[in-house]
Structure formats: structure tokens, C-alpha cells
């Protein structure tokens, strides 16, 4: 396994974007005159559950189609067998959800990650619509916690005309990610074809910075009551998970720890190309999977099949299994 440095992140993200665009274009061409599935609207993409006295709402932003060739770190037959067990195959695009999570604590209305807006195409950018369908206005949100500054997590901070989509929110960004993606020096030193990614990150947070609504925090900093930031580096330098605690229950909103549930739960050693430091991302994944499984935490994953809420069971030889949340009633608080 090669330990890819931070300076390869942009190349991997560009490849991801290009593969997604290619897959979307190929899918459209293959339909010909037959109406596409997107012509028939899906129901609003939100899902609610309770965590102690907190209300948690999963919000669907859309999906990207990833190439199985992006997955590495295990033998091809091992990866292919895991895909086949989930009725997926290397020859087909792997549909990958993009999710955000809204947590109402009573004192705060907190959004973890904001989705993509339309930066990667029309199959994304539905988080605001689903937020409103769930009964909330963007102006209701007072806190935004970003797991990292990749465009599919921070792009939704802006409206189509570049204004703050969440005008009353304080945005929290992990320092190591801010130091890299918001640094003029890092951007200037980056290859030309990578600089667009720095621009996306800077643009996303710029109006919040100008309005005094951007907080860059160090590991261990206090954020909001009932929320703890857990450093989870590897996918990006400052990638961060957030642990929500209410009564005896815990929810770990972990960002990009897993991109393909069929492969990376039974084989945590499998990495994905756009992790900035693959060895560190693998170590982080193993650590968080073990901690979440042993503590029976709820987990929320940005790229797990929507709603991306569930628990983790442990198996033999370091393997894990994903146990998704069941649909059930949610009791409103006064």
C-alpha cells in the first residue's frame, strides 16, 4: 500500500468528478428516448430518529456514481466478491449517496455538512429542498459543523448566486483542513489543475468569514453542549467526526470514513483513491469502527446508503457489518 500524500488529493477528487460526470452522461445516453427515472420524482429525502432528547434528521443531497477501480488495498477478487454480495459489480457504477444530518438539541439546531449544491451535476444539490420538506427553513439553523472542506460537504453553504444559504449559522471548520484548503500559499503551490478545488473551498466559506460567522477550531475545542469533535484524519488532513450525546445514547456523525458499505465494512483495509493519506485513513477507519461497535453507538455516514443511520456489528478477523436503522415512529417534543 502506498502512502499517498496530501498533494494527490486534488487529482483523486478530479478523477472522482470526471468519473461521476462520465457515468451520468453514459446513463443518460443509454436511456435514449425512454424517460429517465429522474423524470418521476422520488418522495422527499429525509428520515427522522430520536437520540435521547435530541431529534436527528437525515437529509439526502443526491448521489454520485463511483468506479469500483477507485477502491484498493485488497485483492481484486476480494473486492469483487464483496460487491457481488451486495448485488453490485465492478463493471457497473457504484451509486454513492451524499447525506447531511440535522440535530435538534433543544438549545441548538445543528447541521453536519451541507451537501454539494450543483457543483457536481444535477443528481446532487437537494439538501435544502429536503430540509424544507422536513419542516425547517435554512434560516432556522444556528450551527453548521463541517467534517471537512471537500465540495460535496461544504458546497451547499452557498446559494446559486453565491450568498449564504444559512444566514444565521455559525460555521465550524477543523483547523487542519482550514490550514490546507484556505491557505493562499498552499493553493499557489498546488498544480494548476488542482487550484479549482481550493477555489471551491474558499468560495464556500467566504461570505461566512466576512460576516464573522466562521470558526476554525482546534482538536478538543468545545463546540456545542452535547457535541464532541473527534479527529478522524486521513481522508483529509483535518477530517473530523462529531459525537452527539443525549441521555445514554450516542450518535457518531463520521463524514467520509466509509464510501462503499458493501466492501469497507467487511474489509476495513480497503481504501479509496481520493483519501489524502490512505494509510492514515485505514487506521482511522479501523479505530472508529471498533469504538462504535464496542460502544454500540449509532452512526451516521455521509456516503452510506440513505438515510445512512445505523449501528455496527463486529465479526471475525477484523470484519464488521452494517445494521441500518429501521423505520419507526418519532415522538415530537413540546
Amino acid at each position: 500500500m502506498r502512502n499517498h500524500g496530501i498533494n494527490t488529493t486534488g487529482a483523486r477528487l478530479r478523477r472522482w468528478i470526471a468519473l461521476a460526470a462520465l457515468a451520468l452522461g453514459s446513463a443518460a445516453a443509454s436511456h435514449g428516448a425512454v424517460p429517465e427515472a429522474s423524470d418521476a420524482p422520488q418522495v422527499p429525502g429525509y428520515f427522522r430518529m430520536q437520540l435521547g432528547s435530541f431529534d436527528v434528521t437525515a437529509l439526502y443531497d443526491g448521489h454520485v456514481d463511483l468506479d469500483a477501480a477507485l477502491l484498493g488495498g485488497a485483492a481484486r477478487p476480494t473486492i469483487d466478491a464483496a460487491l457481488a454480495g451486495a448485488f453490485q459489480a465492478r463493471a457497473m457504477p457504484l451509486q454513492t449517496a451524499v447525506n447531511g444530518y440535522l440535530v435538534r438539541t433543544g438549545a441548538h439546531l445543528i447541521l453536519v455538512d451541507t451537501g454539494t449544491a450543483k457543483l457536481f451535476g444535477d443528481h446532487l444539490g437537494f439538501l435544502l429542498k429536503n430540509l424544507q420538506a422536513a419542516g425547517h427553513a435554512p434560516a432556522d439553523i444556528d450551527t453548521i459543523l463541517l467534517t471537512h472542506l471537500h465540495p460535496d460537504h461544504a458546497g451547499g453553504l452557498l446559494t446559486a448566486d453565491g450568498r449564504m444559504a444559512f444566514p444565521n449559522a455559525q460555521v465550524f471548520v477543523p483547523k487542519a483542513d482550514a490550514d490546507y484548503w484556505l491557505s493562499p500559499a498552499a493553493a499557489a503551490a498546488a498544480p494548476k489543475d488542482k487550484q479549482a478545488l481550493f477555489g471551491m473551498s474558499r468560495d464556500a466559506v467566504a461570505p461566512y468569514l466576512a460576516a464573522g460567522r466562521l470558526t476554525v477550531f482546534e482538536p478538543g475545542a468545545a463546540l456545542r453542549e452535547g457535541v464532541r469533535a473527534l479527529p478522524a484524519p486521513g481522508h483529509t488532513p483535518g477530517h473530523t467526526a462529531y459525537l452527539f450525546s443525549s441521555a445514554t445514547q450516542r450518535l457518531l456523525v463520521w463524514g467520509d470514513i466509509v464510501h462503499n458499505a458493501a466492501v469497507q465494512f467487511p474489509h476495513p483495509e480497503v481504501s479509496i483513491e481520493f483519501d489524502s493519506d490512505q494509510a492514515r485513513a485505514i487506521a482511522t477507519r479501523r479505530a472508529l469502527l471498533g469504538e462504535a461497535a464496542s460502544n454500540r453507538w449509532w452512526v451516521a455516514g455521509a456516503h452510506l446508503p440513505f438515510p445512512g443511520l445505523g449501528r455496527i456489528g463486529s465479526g471475525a478477523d477484523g470484519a464488521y457489518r452494517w445494521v441500518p436503522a429501521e423505520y419507526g415512529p418519532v415522538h415530537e417534543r413540546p
Side-chain angles (χ1 to χ4, degrees):
M1 171 75 62
R2 292 195 306 269
N3 184 342
H4 294 275
I6 291 171
N7 63 354
T8 61
T9 303
R12 296 187 184 106
L13 282 176
R14 289 193 307 279
R15 183 177 178 190
W16 180 22
I17 295 167
L19 287 167
L22 178 62
L24 294 176
S26 298
S30 67
H31 279 85
V34 179
E36 294 187 12
S38 59
D39 292 341
Q42 185 59 278
V43 297
Y46 68 90
F47 177 95
R48 298 176 60 210
M49 62 169 275
Q50 287 180 277
L51 184 84
S53 64
F54 292 177
D55 295 332
V56 178
T57 303
L59 298 168
Y60 184 65
D61 188 61
H63 78 277
V64 292
D65 290 330
L66 299 182
D67 190 330
L70 292 167
L71 300 170
R76 176 172 288 190
T78 298
I79 294 175
D80 288 351
L83 290 172
F87 301 95
Q88 300 174 21
R90 180 176 294 272
M92 65 176 65
L94 306 179
Q95 181 169 303
T96 304
V98 177
N99 308 319
Y101 295 93
L102 186 71
V103 182
R104 182 173 63 170
T105 68
H108 295 283
L109 189 60
I110 301 172
L111 178 63
V112 183
D113 290 339
T114 65
T116 318
K118 296 300 181 184
L119 294 175
F120 290 174
D122 290 338
H123 283 204
L124 291 154
F126 300 105
L127 187 143
L128 282 181
K129 179 180 177 181
N130 289 320
L131 174 71
Q132 292 166 334
H136 299 281
D140 295 339
I141 293 171
D142 61 76
T143 303
I144 293 175
L145 305 178
L146 295 179
T147 57
H148 58 299
L149 278 170
H150 278 171
D152 56 320
H153 298 260
L157 284 169
L158 300 181
T159 61
D161 58 359
R163 293 179 294 110
M164 290 189 291
F166 306 95
N168 297 318
Q170 191 74 22
V171 178
F172 291 81
V173 177
K175 185 176 187 299
D177 249 43
D179 286 348
Y180 182 64
W181 293 106
L182 305 182
S183 165
K192 265 189 179 178
D193 58 357
K194 184 178 178 181
Q195 293 183 1
L197 296 171
F198 286 88
M200 289 178 188
S201 298
R202 289 194 307 270
D203 291 348
V205 301
Y208 297 88
L209 177 62
R213 294 191 169 275
L214 183 70
T215 298
V216 175
F217 66 89
E218 298 269 9
L223 303 177
R224 296 287 189 251
E225 186 177 355
V227 188
R228 182 160 60 97
L230 301 181
H235 181 61
T236 65
H239 186 267
T240 296
Y242 298 96
L243 185 65
F244 288 81
S245 303
S246 180
T248 60
Q249 297 197 53
R250 305 289 182 269
L251 169 69
L252 181 68
V253 186
W254 72 12
D256 285 14
I257 296 299
V258 168
H259 286 82
N260 185 277
V263 175
Q264 289 178 296
F265 280 111
H267 302 287
E269 74 277 12
V270 171
S271 60
I272 195 160
E273 277 198 21
F274 41 82
D275 289 336
S276 66
D277 183 334
Q278 292 186 6
R280 200 172 190 191
I282 291 167
T284 293
R285 178 165 44 259
R286 283 178 163 150
L288 286 185
L289 284 169
E291 193 168 9
S294 63
N295 288 305
R296 302 176 63 86
W297 289 343
W298 286 100
V299 165
H303 298 305
L304 296 177
F306 184 78
L309 291 163
R311 287 193 171 103
I312 298 168
S314 56
D317 300 323
Y320 296 89
R321 68 183 187 278
W322 175 241
V323 184
E326 292 188 15
Y327 184 90
V330 176
H331 304 291
E332 289 284 355
R333 289 185 287 139

